[in-house]
Amino acid sequence: MGKKLLYLILIVAVSGLMGYFSATWTLNRRIPADATAEEVATIVQTDKKSAPQRRIEVKEVANFSDAAETAVQAVVYVKVTQKAKYQQPSSIFDLLFGFAQTPRDQVGLGSGVIIRPDGYIVTNNHVIAGADVIEVTLENNKVYPAKLVGTDPATDIALIKIEAEDLPTVPMGNSDDLRLGEWVLAIGSPYDLRSTITAGIVSAKGRSMPNYDGQYRVESFIQTDAAVNPGNSGGALVNAAGELVGINTSIISLTGSYAGYSFAVPVNIVSKVVDDFIEFGTVQRAMLGVSIADMTAQLAAQANVAEIDGVFVAGVQKDGPAEKAGIVTGDVIKEINLNPVHNSAGLQEQVNKLRPGEKAVVTVLRDGKQHELIVSL
């Protein structure tokens, strides 16, 4: 009887693990550059058949204490200093009478998240931009100098490192799995109030901000109503299980303080940027070679599709990856590697997960029919 029970337990455990890894493989499959069209087509068809159907379940609201008490240990306080540069007196009067003021160092504050026990910490690019000295204070008040590993203004992500071992970390979650209305916690050091934890829900996904300076951006923000203020930048956004799902980055406010809306970079973007820093030293950014627009009723009519959903291809780069794959102006992009895209920000997020040289399966609607095209990025 004891052996039968043991066998039953083992069967259930193995089945569960196989289901988990099957789902993970399906969602995170990377298609190598040397894959043939037939191999890619087989992968797509297999994944479509094996992809788990998403079920909406009503779950009991979790107690946040375990998630908060664990995650807060891996959120750090970041202090940056920009050394003052000596300025020559502008005139003899300034030199004689001391009218020229002695310049002072500029000090900035922010937050960061330990992602590896050997001292790698992710934060925001705008937190450490221009810093001459970076100093990190752990939750246990130990202070370490930090060096900059890499920075990516397009995603506002930076990676720094301290010389330490066996540090507490936050496990990586999957930001694609976040649901609207799901509870999340924001952890950081607003107004120098270290290890502050606030709670809210996911208000929206795939948000982008107005781009006034015209610089290249990769934005698909998680919007929450968890209170975030100056000093929270670079801190953790975690789910009720204590998994990292985003890096808190910005707020919308007329006063400079929290006014109800905060934004975080999804962890799936963060993970790829960080991996690139560690492996290559810089971000490896793939290019699809299209100009795009969010769908409208007018564009939907032009594309002959019923739903106002997806991303309209407004133009295709000549001899670019998309054109070579058969994507044409007027197509509506619905999926990248089986991951649905509903707007331009979502498309950027999916492409930004990939690297140059890899292949992607792009699902498009054209004249009411669905096509799956293989793009060599």
Side-chain angles (χ1 to χ4, degrees), residues 30-42:
R30 305 188 78 92
I31 302 174
D34 57 356
T36 65
E38 291 77 11
E39 289 172 338
V40 174
T42 301

Side-chain angles (χ1 to χ4, degrees), residues 27-140:
L27 293 172
N28 298 291
R29 185 82 68 99
R30 305 188 78 92
I31 302 174
D34 57 356
T36 65
E38 291 77 11
E39 289 172 338
V40 174
T42 301
I43 289 172
V44 173
Q45 295 305 321
T46 302
D47 281 2
K48 278 194 168 183
K49 292 177 182 178
S50 62
Q53 297 297 314
R54 188 172 186 179
R55 294 181 299 172
I56 297 178
E57 300 176 357
V58 178
K59 298 182 180 179
E60 183 179 349
V61 176
N63 184 337
F64 299 140
S65 297
D66 290 340
E69 290 173 356
T70 301
V72 73
Q73 299 177 41
V75 178
V76 303
Y77 175 79
V78 179
K79 177 182 176 181
V80 298
T81 303
Q82 188 172 9
K83 294 292 186 180
K85 294 177 175 58
Y86 177 75
Q87 297 177 342
Q88 292 285 348
S90 58
S91 67
I92 188 63
F93 295 101
D94 290 341
L95 181 63
L96 293 176
F97 299 104
F99 291 145
Q101 296 182 354
T102 303
R104 297 181 180 180
D105 293 347
Q106 299 293 316
V107 177
L109 308 173
S111 304
V113 184
I114 305 171
I115 57 169
R116 286 187 15 175
D118 56 349
Y120 283 97
I121 297 169
V122 65
T123 184
N124 282 146
N125 171 69
H126 75 261
V127 169
I128 54 81
D132 296 307
V133 179
I134 305 173
E135 185 180 87
V136 168
T137 303
L138 305 188
E139 201 264 341
N140 62 10

Side-chain angles (χ1 to χ4, degrees), residues 313-327:
V313 178
V316 180
Q317 180 185 359
K318 184 174 177 56
D319 295 326
E323 184 183 71
K324 292 178 180 178
I327 296 175

Side-chain angles (χ1 to χ4, degrees), residues 10 40 62 114 142 172 181 183 194 304 339 357 359:
L10 285 173
V40 174
I114 305 171
K142 290 185 177 179
M172 291 287 188
W183 282 98
R194 305 183 190 186
N304 192 26
N339 295 306
K359 292 184 178 180

Side-chain angles (χ1 to χ4, degrees), residues 276-298:
D276 282 356
F277 284 149
I278 295 174
E279 185 174 353
F280 304 105
T282 186
V283 178
Q284 305 292 299
R285 185 157 285 126
M287 184 183 71
L288 188 58
V290 293
S291 56
I292 55 178
D294 290 334
M295 289 293 291
T296 63
Q298 183 178 1

Side-chain angles (χ1 to χ4, degrees), residues 179-215:
R179 294 174 55 195
L180 299 181
E182 181 175 342
W183 282 98
V184 285
L185 304 176
I187 308 175
S189 301
Y191 298 125
D192 211 8
L193 299 171
R194 305 183 190 186
S195 302
T196 294
I197 303 168
T198 58
I201 63 168
V202 176
S203 306
K205 296 171 63 177
R207 289 290 198 209
S208 59
M209 300 288 187
N211 190 345
Y212 296 113
D213 58 13
Q215 294 185 10

